[in-house]
Amino acid sequence: MFFENIKLAFSAMHGSKMRTFLSLLGIVIGVGAVVAILNLGSSASRNIKESLASGGTDVITIWPAQNERNNEFFSSSFGQKLQERFPGVENVLSSMQGSASVRYQDTVATYNVLGIDSSYFPTEKLGFSFGNAFSMESALMGRQVIVLGEKVAEKLFTEGNPIGKVVFLSADQGRPLAFKVVGVLAHKDQNFSIDVNSMVYIPFLTFRQKFLKLPQVSMYTVKIAPGFDTMKESEQITQFLDSVVGTDGYGSFSPAMLVSMASSITKTLSLFLAAIAAISLLVGGIGIMNIMLVSVIERTREIGIRKAIGATPSIIRGQFLVEAVTLTLFGGILGTVFGILISYAVTTVAGWQLSFSFSSVAIALGFSMFVGVFFGWYPAMKASRLNPIDALNFE
């Protein structure tokens, strides 16, 4: 009986194609919109996460406020203090920052210079297109070696590989210092205000003793140990710093926090848009109710005959309910395909990787079936309550 009702539903659709198409249009658009919005939300969230995580989500950057850089708390022992207090802190790297003019032959440009430890590169997940990071020995000996960002290398060395060449750095009208190029960073997308492609890197000790000769540390990169939650560690370190130097005494930044915020925002936005799209499903449901009421009227004599030969009201009701659900489910399947095609087209144009959400299909199809039951109930009840004699005499 169940499959027979499904056959009747498809027979009814085939008998009035245009009317069925117009009635199903709302369901197709509604389901397609829900599927597309949830898939695009998931894809956008994934793309944002991957972009933010490219700099490493297991690091926290801390910088003392300008008026706190002479504070003894932010000395070279700052890293040791954090490691002793927080087991989740694997390492703390100190760095110093300034700007300088960088010259190679007749080409001169101004860039930010970062004085760092050699382990800064793997911690920040920076790769190399030429050469390598300066060695631990070079860092400890304070040698005049330099790593160039991609844009810096392109500006100064138009002929290609600059490894072994010498560039001159000068800051504050000081005497130019010669640095041997040992590495060029591979391109990396800019994260927030940090453009690693437009920076140059020299050993921390060289920066402090030969370049700008500043006693204060500009920035600390805190590496969180594997197995520890960066978010929780960040909160604990923040509370500790608040109690020691106050909320205005420092600044901090953690990619993990931004990843969590971005994920929460895109999820909320996707659900909000999906809820709006679901309204079109309700509109489509009204169209289904309309076509089912017309179908009841057109098939009144058929209902009368079936009742005359023994069909109960529940059988008649079930028949029309199955027809209504079949209609909305058919529209839901078409809408799902429509939504997937939209998702694929948009992510291809945007250059994102499609993150297909199976839950979006389940939600859309489940809701379309609910619409079929809800809006098909009244026509089904009307058909089941027809008097057989009146139905047989209906013209």
Side-chain angles (χ1 to χ4, degrees), residues 239-288:
Q239 290 174 3
F240 172 61
L241 293 177
D242 287 348
S243 66
V244 176
V245 295
T247 55
D248 296 331
Y250 72 99
S252 66
F253 167 75
S254 169
M257 295 175 64
L258 291 178
V259 169
S260 176
M261 287 174 58
S263 178
S264 176
I265 290 171
T266 53
K267 185 177 180 181
T268 302
L269 190 60
S270 295
L271 290 177
F272 174 70
L273 293 174
I276 294 175
I279 294 175
S280 63
L281 275 174
L282 296 178
V283 176
I286 295 173
I288 294 298

mmCIF file of all heavy atoms in Angstrom, residues 239-288:
data_model
loop_
_atom_site.group_PDB
_atom_site.id
_atom_site.type_symbol
_atom_site.label_atom_id
_atom_site.label_comp_id
_atom_site.label_asym_id
_atom_site.label_seq_id
_atom_site.Cartn_x
_atom_site.Cartn_y
_atom_site.Cartn_z
ATOM 1 N N GLN A 239 45.968 36.391 33.128
ATOM 2 C CA GLN A 239 45.623 36.702 34.530
ATOM 3 C C GLN A 239 46.883 37.000 35.336
ATOM 4 O O GLN A 239 46.907 37.915 36.179
ATOM 5 C CB GLN A 239 44.866 35.519 35.143
ATOM 6 C CG GLN A 239 43.465 35.336 34.576
ATOM 7 C CD GLN A 239 42.784 34.077 35.090
ATOM 8 O OE1 GLN A 239 43.341 33.360 35.923
ATOM 9 N NE2 GLN A 239 41.598 33.799 34.583
ATOM 10 N N PHE A 240 47.930 36.224 35.071
ATOM 11 C CA PHE A 240 49.180 36.425 35.797
ATOM 12 C C PHE A 240 49.778 37.809 35.477
ATOM 13 O O PHE A 240 50.182 38.556 36.378
ATOM 14 C CB PHE A 240 50.163 35.307 35.419
ATOM 15 C CG PHE A 240 51.555 35.502 35.945
ATOM 16 C CD1 PHE A 240 51.801 35.565 37.314
ATOM 17 C CD2 PHE A 240 52.628 35.642 35.074
ATOM 18 C CE1 PHE A 240 53.090 35.753 37.805
ATOM 19 C CE2 PHE A 240 53.909 35.826 35.550
ATOM 20 C CZ PHE A 240 54.147 35.878 36.921
ATOM 21 N N LEU A 241 49.816 38.159 34.188
ATOM 22 C CA LEU A 241 50.379 39.450 33.791
ATOM 23 C C LEU A 241 49.534 40.609 34.322
ATOM 24 O O LEU A 241 50.069 41.643 34.719
ATOM 25 C CB LEU A 241 50.491 39.526 32.267
ATOM 26 C CG LEU A 241 51.507 38.580 31.626
ATOM 27 C CD1 LEU A 241 51.472 38.695 30.104
ATOM 28 C CD2 LEU A 241 52.915 38.875 32.125
ATOM 29 N N ASP A 242 48.202 40.435 34.326
ATOM 30 C CA ASP A 242 47.319 41.469 34.870
ATOM 31 C C ASP A 242 47.669 41.755 36.328
ATOM 32 O O ASP A 242 47.646 42.908 36.783
ATOM 33 C CB ASP A 242 45.848 41.028 34.781
ATOM 34 C CG ASP A 242 45.331 41.077 33.347
ATOM 35 O OD1 ASP A 242 46.015 41.658 32.497
ATOM 36 O OD2 ASP A 242 44.253 40.504 33.099
ATOM 37 N N SER A 243 47.960 40.685 37.074
ATOM 38 C CA SER A 243 48.248 40.856 38.502
ATOM 39 C C SER A 243 49.635 41.460 38.739
ATOM 40 O O SER A 243 49.877 42.049 39.789
ATOM 41 C CB SER A 243 48.149 39.507 39.223
ATOM 42 O OG SER A 243 49.171 38.625 38.760
ATOM 43 N N VAL A 244 50.539 41.316 37.774
ATOM 44 C CA VAL A 244 51.924 41.784 37.974
ATOM 45 C C VAL A 244 52.141 43.190 37.404
ATOM 46 O O VAL A 244 52.667 44.068 38.091
ATOM 47 C CB VAL A 244 52.918 40.790 37.324
ATOM 48 C CG1 VAL A 244 54.343 41.318 37.452
ATOM 49 C CG2 VAL A 244 52.813 39.436 37.985
ATOM 50 N N VAL A 245 51.732 43.398 36.152
ATOM 51 C CA VAL A 245 52.001 44.704 35.517
ATOM 52 C C VAL A 245 50.727 45.464 35.158
ATOM 53 O O VAL A 245 50.801 46.574 34.629
ATOM 54 C CB VAL A 245 52.858 44.519 34.239
ATOM 55 C CG1 VAL A 245 54.226 43.985 34.583
ATOM 56 C CG2 VAL A 245 52.152 43.616 33.235
ATOM 57 N N GLY A 246 49.556 44.866 35.447
ATOM 58 C CA GLY A 246 48.301 45.548 35.146
ATOM 59 C C GLY A 246 47.874 45.329 33.696
ATOM 60 O O GLY A 246 48.677 44.946 32.849
ATOM 61 N N THR A 247 46.603 45.618 33.444
ATOM 62 C CA THR A 247 46.059 45.365 32.109
ATOM 63 C C THR A 247 46.646 46.297 31.047
ATOM 64 O O THR A 247 46.632 45.982 29.860
ATOM 65 C CB THR A 247 44.531 45.531 32.120
ATOM 66 O OG1 THR A 247 44.228 46.834 32.636
ATOM 67 C CG2 THR A 247 43.875 44.494 33.006
ATOM 68 N N ASP A 248 47.152 47.456 31.464
ATOM 69 C CA ASP A 248 47.718 48.404 30.492
ATOM 70 C C ASP A 248 49.229 48.230 30.322
ATOM 71 O O ASP A 248 49.848 48.966 29.558
ATOM 72 C CB ASP A 248 47.452 49.849 30.951
ATOM 73 C CG ASP A 248 45.971 50.159 30.989
ATOM 74 O OD1 ASP A 248 45.226 49.552 30.198
ATOM 75 O OD2 ASP A 248 45.560 50.994 31.817
ATOM 76 N N GLY A 249 49.791 47.260 31.008
ATOM 77 C CA GLY A 249 51.243 47.118 30.979
ATOM 78 C C GLY A 249 51.784 46.265 29.859
ATOM 79 O O GLY A 249 53.003 46.170 29.682
ATOM 80 N N TYR A 250 50.916 45.672 29.110
ATOM 81 C CA TYR A 250 51.373 44.756 28.059
ATOM 82 C C TYR A 250 50.265 44.565 27.021
ATOM 83 O O TYR A 250 49.099 44.949 27.226
ATOM 84 C CB TYR A 250 51.747 43.399 28.667
ATOM 85 C CG TYR A 250 50.533 42.604 29.108
ATOM 86 C CD1 TYR A 250 50.013 41.594 28.305
ATOM 87 C CD2 TYR A 250 49.867 42.911 30.299
ATOM 88 C CE1 TYR A 250 48.887 40.899 28.682
ATOM 89 C CE2 TYR A 250 48.745 42.215 30.683
ATOM 90 C CZ TYR A 250 48.254 41.211 29.876
ATOM 91 O OH TYR A 250 47.124 40.525 30.233
ATOM 92 N N GLY A 251 50.614 43.950 25.919
ATOM 93 C CA GLY A 251 49.650 43.524 24.914
ATOM 94 C C GLY A 251 49.922 42.069 24.584
ATOM 95 O O GLY A 251 51.037 41.579 24.784
ATOM 96 N N SER A 252 48.917 41.367 24.100
ATOM 97 C CA SER A 252 49.123 39.958 23.751
ATOM 98 C C SER A 252 48.263 39.599 22.560
ATOM 99 O O SER A 252 47.253 40.256 22.264
ATOM 100 C CB SER A 252 48.793 39.039 24.941
ATOM 101 O OG SER A 252 47.415 39.092 25.242
ATOM 102 N N PHE A 253 48.683 38.544 21.902
ATOM 103 C CA PHE A 253 47.965 38.093 20.709
ATOM 104 C C PHE A 253 48.132 36.579 20.584
ATOM 105 O O PHE A 253 49.230 36.042 20.736
ATOM 106 C CB PHE A 253 48.545 38.767 19.468
ATOM 107 C CG PHE A 253 48.102 38.153 18.184
ATOM 108 C CD1 PHE A 253 46.836 38.378 17.701
ATOM 109 C CD2 PHE A 253 48.950 37.319 17.468
ATOM 110 C CE1 PHE A 253 46.424 37.802 16.520
ATOM 111 C CE2 PHE A 253 48.541 36.745 16.287
ATOM 112 C CZ PHE A 253 47.274 36.983 15.809
ATOM 113 N N SER A 254 47.018 35.910 20.353
ATOM 114 C CA SER A 254 47.070 34.456 20.169
ATOM 115 C C SER A 254 46.205 34.079 18.977
ATOM 116 O O SER A 254 44.991 34.350 18.980
ATOM 117 C CB SER A 254 46.564 33.744 21.424
ATOM 118 O OG SER A 254 46.383 32.370 21.161
ATOM 119 N N PRO A 255 46.782 33.453 17.938
ATOM 120 C CA PRO A 255 45.971 33.012 16.796
ATOM 121 C C PRO A 255 44.853 32.062 17.202
ATOM 122 O O PRO A 255 43.793 32.057 16.585
ATOM 123 C CB PRO A 255 46.994 32.309 15.897
ATOM 124 C CG PRO A 255 48.298 32.897 16.266
ATOM 125 C CD PRO A 255 48.206 33.184 17.734
ATOM 126 N N ALA A 256 45.083 31.253 18.259
ATOM 127 C CA ALA A 256 44.065 30.288 18.691
ATOM 128 C C ALA A 256 42.785 31.003 19.112
ATOM 129 O O ALA A 256 41.675 30.523 18.869
ATOM 130 C CB ALA A 256 44.602 29.434 19.827
ATOM 131 N N MET A 257 42.940 32.175 19.759
ATOM 132 C CA MET A 257 41.759 32.930 20.196
ATOM 133 C C MET A 257 40.969 33.421 18.987
ATOM 134 O O MET A 257 39.741 33.368 18.963
ATOM 135 C CB MET A 257 42.198 34.121 21.058
ATOM 136 C CG MET A 257 42.854 33.730 22.366
ATOM 137 S SD MET A 257 43.494 35.143 23.280
ATOM 138 C CE MET A 257 41.991 36.019 23.644
ATOM 139 N N LEU A 258 41.688 33.885 17.967
ATOM 140 C CA LEU A 258 41.005 34.375 16.769
ATOM 141 C C LEU A 258 40.337 33.241 16.001
ATOM 142 O O LEU A 258 39.262 33.408 15.435
ATOM 143 C CB LEU A 258 42.007 35.100 15.878
ATOM 144 C CG LEU A 258 42.522 36.423 16.441
ATOM 145 C CD1 LEU A 258 43.546 37.034 15.514
ATOM 146 C CD2 LEU A 258 41.369 37.401 16.641
ATOM 147 N N VAL A 259 40.988 32.070 15.990
ATOM 148 C CA VAL A 259 40.387 30.911 15.330
ATOM 149 C C VAL A 259 39.065 30.559 16.001
ATOM 150 O O VAL A 259 38.046 30.310 15.344
ATOM 151 C CB VAL A 259 41.348 29.704 15.380
ATOM 152 C CG1 VAL A 259 40.620 28.428 14.948
ATOM 153 C CG2 VAL A 259 42.551 29.941 14.477
ATOM 154 N N SER A 260 39.064 30.565 17.338
ATOM 155 C CA SER A 260 37.842 30.238 18.084
ATOM 156 C C SER A 260 36.750 31.278 17.826
ATOM 157 O O SER A 260 35.584 30.935 17.611
ATOM 158 C CB SER A 260 38.182 30.169 19.577
ATOM 159 O OG SER A 260 37.029 29.939 20.328
ATOM 160 N N MET A 261 37.125 32.562 17.830
ATOM 161 C CA MET A 261 36.147 33.632 17.590
ATOM 162 C C MET A 261 35.583 33.536 16.184
ATOM 163 O O MET A 261 34.371 33.652 15.974
ATOM 164 C CB MET A 261 36.811 34.990 17.795
ATOM 165 C CG MET A 261 37.099 35.341 19.240
ATOM 166 S SD MET A 261 38.040 36.876 19.379
ATOM 167 C CE MET A 261 36.961 38.023 18.560
ATOM 168 N N ALA A 262 36.476 33.320 15.197
ATOM 169 C CA ALA A 262 36.021 33.241 13.800
ATOM 170 C C ALA A 262 35.077 32.062 13.609
ATOM 171 O O ALA A 262 34.060 32.167 12.912
ATOM 172 C CB ALA A 262 37.229 33.103 12.877
ATOM 173 N N SER A 263 35.394 30.938 14.243
ATOM 174 C CA SER A 263 34.541 29.754 14.129
ATOM 175 C C SER A 263 33.163 30.016 14.713
ATOM 176 O O SER A 263 32.145 29.644 14.136
ATOM 177 C CB SER A 263 35.221 28.581 14.844
ATOM 178 O OG SER A 263 34.407 27.436 14.784
ATOM 179 N N SER A 264 33.139 30.671 15.871
ATOM 180 C CA SER A 264 31.862 30.961 16.534
ATOM 181 C C SER A 264 31.022 31.929 15.707
ATOM 182 O O SER A 264 29.814 31.745 15.546
ATOM 183 C CB SER A 264 32.148 31.556 17.920
ATOM 184 O OG SER A 264 30.949 31.923 18.553
ATOM 185 N N ILE A 265 31.677 32.949 15.134
ATOM 186 C CA ILE A 265 30.943 33.959 14.352
ATOM 187 C C ILE A 265 30.358 33.347 13.080
ATOM 188 O O ILE A 265 29.181 33.557 12.758
ATOM 189 C CB ILE A 265 31.879 35.138 13.999
ATOM 190 C CG1 ILE A 265 32.218 35.931 15.261
ATOM 191 C CG2 ILE A 265 31.235 36.058 12.961
ATOM 192 C CD1 ILE A 265 33.289 36.966 15.064
ATOM 193 N N THR A 266 31.162 32.578 12.340
ATOM 194 C CA THR A 266 30.667 31.997 11.085
ATOM 195 C C THR A 266 29.552 30.982 11.356
ATOM 196 O O THR A 266 28.609 30.878 10.585
ATOM 197 C CB THR A 266 31.803 31.315 10.314
ATOM 198 O OG1 THR A 266 32.469 30.385 11.174
ATOM 199 C CG2 THR A 266 32.798 32.317 9.800
ATOM 200 N N LYS A 267 29.644 30.249 12.472
ATOM 201 C CA LYS A 267 28.605 29.277 12.816
ATOM 202 C C LYS A 267 27.288 29.983 13.118
ATOM 203 O O LYS A 267 26.221 29.588 12.631
ATOM 204 C CB LYS A 267 29.053 28.445 14.019
ATOM 205 C CG LYS A 267 28.103 27.329 14.367
ATOM 206 C CD LYS A 267 28.657 26.506 15.523
ATOM 207 C CE LYS A 267 27.695 25.372 15.881
ATOM 208 N NZ LYS A 267 28.224 24.583 17.022
ATOM 209 N N THR A 268 27.379 31.049 13.922
ATOM 210 C CA THR A 268 26.164 31.800 14.275
ATOM 211 C C THR A 268 25.548 32.438 13.034
ATOM 212 O O THR A 268 24.331 32.387 12.836
ATOM 213 C CB THR A 268 26.508 32.900 15.291
ATOM 214 O OG1 THR A 268 27.105 32.294 16.440
ATOM 215 C CG2 THR A 268 25.268 33.663 15.707
ATOM 216 N N LEU A 269 26.393 33.018 12.180
ATOM 217 C CA LEU A 269 25.905 33.673 10.963
ATOM 218 C C LEU A 269 25.250 32.657 10.024
ATOM 219 O O LEU A 269 24.198 32.925 9.435
ATOM 220 C CB LEU A 269 27.077 34.366 10.258
ATOM 221 C CG LEU A 269 26.723 35.305 9.109
ATOM 222 C CD1 LEU A 269 25.827 36.435 9.604
ATOM 223 C CD2 LEU A 269 27.990 35.884 8.480
ATOM 224 N N SER A 270 25.852 31.478 9.898
ATOM 225 C CA SER A 270 25.297 30.448 9.011
ATOM 226 C C SER A 270 23.933 29.982 9.501
ATOM 227 O O SER A 270 23.000 29.814 8.714
ATOM 228 C CB SER A 270 26.250 29.256 8.934
ATOM 229 O OG SER A 270 27.458 29.621 8.334
ATOM 230 N N LEU A 271 23.805 29.772 10.809
ATOM 231 C CA LEU A 271 22.525 29.323 11.362
ATOM 232 C C LEU A 271 21.461 30.396 11.188
ATOM 233 O O LEU A 271 20.299 30.095 10.893
ATOM 234 C CB LEU A 271 22.699 28.965 12.841
ATOM 235 C CG LEU A 271 23.514 27.706 13.123
ATOM 236 C CD1 LEU A 271 23.690 27.498 14.625
ATOM 237 C CD2 LEU A 271 22.844 26.478 12.503
ATOM 238 N N PHE A 272 21.868 31.671 11.351
ATOM 239 C CA PHE A 272 20.918 32.769 11.186
ATOM 240 C C PHE A 272 20.397 32.823 9.744
ATOM 241 O O PHE A 272 19.190 32.925 9.502
ATOM 242 C CB PHE A 272 21.605 34.086 11.557
ATOM 243 C CG PHE A 272 20.773 35.312 11.305
ATOM 244 C CD1 PHE A 272 19.648 35.578 12.078
ATOM 245 C CD2 PHE A 272 21.108 36.202 10.297
ATOM 246 C CE1 PHE A 272 18.873 36.700 11.842
ATOM 247 C CE2 PHE A 272 20.347 37.319 10.054
ATOM 248 C CZ PHE A 272 19.224 37.573 10.832
ATOM 249 N N LEU A 273 21.327 32.721 8.780
ATOM 250 C CA LEU A 273 20.926 32.764 7.368
ATOM 251 C C LEU A 273 20.111 31.536 6.981
ATOM 252 O O LEU A 273 19.170 31.621 6.189
ATOM 253 C CB LEU A 273 22.178 32.876 6.480
ATOM 254 C CG LEU A 273 22.958 34.190 6.604
ATOM 255 C CD1 LEU A 273 24.246 34.128 5.802
ATOM 256 C CD2 LEU A 273 22.103 35.368 6.153
ATOM 257 N N ALA A 274 20.481 30.371 7.551
ATOM 258 C CA ALA A 274 19.731 29.152 7.257
ATOM 259 C C ALA A 274 18.297 29.256 7.785
ATOM 260 O O ALA A 274 17.357 28.764 7.154
ATOM 261 C CB ALA A 274 20.433 27.948 7.863
ATOM 262 N N ALA A 275 18.138 29.906 8.942
ATOM 263 C CA ALA A 275 16.793 30.090 9.502
ATOM 264 C C ALA A 275 15.948 30.965 8.574
ATOM 265 O O ALA A 275 14.756 30.717 8.377
ATOM 266 C CB ALA A 275 16.891 30.720 10.884
ATOM 267 N N ILE A 276 16.596 32.009 8.000
ATOM 268 C CA ILE A 276 15.871 32.869 7.052
ATOM 269 C C ILE A 276 15.488 32.070 5.805
ATOM 270 O O ILE A 276 14.368 32.163 5.296
ATOM 271 C CB ILE A 276 16.751 34.081 6.673
ATOM 272 C CG1 ILE A 276 16.967 34.968 7.897
ATOM 273 C CG2 ILE A 276 16.120 34.870 5.539
ATOM 274 C CD1 ILE A 276 17.907 36.124 7.663
ATOM 275 N N ALA A 277 16.445 31.248 5.334
ATOM 276 C CA ALA A 277 16.161 30.446 4.136
ATOM 277 C C ALA A 277 15.037 29.447 4.398
ATOM 278 O O ALA A 277 14.273 29.108 3.476
ATOM 279 C CB ALA A 277 17.423 29.708 3.709
ATOM 280 N N ALA A 278 14.934 28.981 5.649
ATOM 281 C CA ALA A 278 13.904 27.996 5.975
ATOM 282 C C ALA A 278 12.502 28.578 5.819
ATOM 283 O O ALA A 278 11.527 27.834 5.638
ATOM 284 C CB ALA A 278 14.106 27.490 7.399
ATOM 285 N N ILE A 279 12.397 29.920 5.872
ATOM 286 C CA ILE A 279 11.083 30.544 5.708
ATOM 287 C C ILE A 279 10.521 30.229 4.323
ATOM 288 O O ILE A 279 9.315 30.023 4.147
ATOM 289 C CB ILE A 279 11.196 32.074 5.916
ATOM 290 C CG1 ILE A 279 11.570 32.355 7.373
ATOM 291 C CG2 ILE A 279 9.895 32.775 5.552
ATOM 292 C CD1 ILE A 279 11.835 33.817 7.669
ATOM 293 N N SER A 280 11.418 30.181 3.329
ATOM 294 C CA SER A 280 10.949 29.863 1.978
ATOM 295 C C SER A 280 10.422 28.435 1.906
ATOM 296 O O SER A 280 9.574 28.111 1.068
ATOM 297 C CB SER A 280 12.064 30.067 0.953
ATOM 298 O OG SER A 280 13.132 29.184 1.210
ATOM 299 N N LEU A 281 10.908 27.571 2.819
ATOM 300 C CA LEU A 281 10.355 26.217 2.884
ATOM 301 C C LEU A 281 8.902 26.255 3.347
ATOM 302 O O LEU A 281 8.059 25.490 2.857
ATOM 303 C CB LEU A 281 11.187 25.365 3.848
ATOM 304 C CG LEU A 281 12.440 24.709 3.272
ATOM 305 C CD1 LEU A 281 13.215 24.021 4.383
ATOM 306 C CD2 LEU A 281 12.078 23.709 2.196
ATOM 307 N N LEU A 282 8.627 27.146 4.299
ATOM 308 C CA LEU A 282 7.230 27.267 4.764
ATOM 309 C C LEU A 282 6.343 27.790 3.637
ATOM 310 O O LEU A 282 5.211 27.333 3.465
ATOM 311 C CB LEU A 282 7.180 28.212 5.969
ATOM 312 C CG LEU A 282 7.921 27.735 7.213
ATOM 313 C CD1 LEU A 282 7.838 28.782 8.318
ATOM 314 C CD2 LEU A 282 7.330 26.408 7.703
ATOM 315 N N VAL A 283 6.872 28.745 2.866
ATOM 316 C CA VAL A 283 6.109 29.248 1.714
ATOM 317 C C VAL A 283 5.872 28.121 0.716
ATOM 318 O O VAL A 283 4.778 27.969 0.156
ATOM 319 C CB VAL A 283 6.878 30.419 1.052
ATOM 320 C CG1 VAL A 283 6.149 30.890 -0.212
ATOM 321 C CG2 VAL A 283 7.038 31.571 2.031
ATOM 322 N N GLY A 284 6.915 27.305 0.510
ATOM 323 C CA GLY A 284 6.764 26.164 -0.384
ATOM 324 C C GLY A 284 5.737 25.180 0.138
ATOM 325 O O GLY A 284 5.008 24.549 -0.639
ATOM 326 N N GLY A 285 5.658 25.059 1.472
ATOM 327 C CA GLY A 285 4.676 24.157 2.068
ATOM 328 C C GLY A 285 3.251 24.586 1.780
ATOM 329 O O GLY A 285 2.361 23.743 1.575
ATOM 330 N N ILE A 286 3.039 25.906 1.742
ATOM 331 C CA ILE A 286 1.702 26.401 1.398
ATOM 332 C C ILE A 286 1.346 25.995 -0.032
ATOM 333 O O ILE A 286 0.202 25.627 -0.344
ATOM 334 C CB ILE A 286 1.660 27.934 1.565
ATOM 335 C CG1 ILE A 286 1.861 28.286 3.041
ATOM 336 C CG2 ILE A 286 0.329 28.508 1.054
ATOM 337 C CD1 ILE A 286 2.014 29.765 3.304
ATOM 338 N N GLY A 287 2.363 26.039 -0.919
ATOM 339 C CA GLY A 287 2.136 25.599 -2.302
ATOM 340 C C GLY A 287 1.774 24.122 -2.357
ATOM 341 O O GLY A 287 0.911 23.696 -3.146
ATOM 342 N N ILE A 288 2.417 23.321 -1.500
ATOM 343 C CA ILE A 288 2.107 21.885 -1.451
ATOM 344 C C ILE A 288 0.667 21.667 -0.972
ATOM 345 O O ILE A 288 -0.072 20.833 -1.514
ATOM 346 C CB ILE A 288 3.101 21.166 -0.516
ATOM 347 C CG1 ILE A 288 4.514 21.234 -1.103
ATOM 348 C CG2 ILE A 288 2.684 19.715 -0.298
ATOM 349 C CD1 ILE A 288 4.670 20.545 -2.438
#
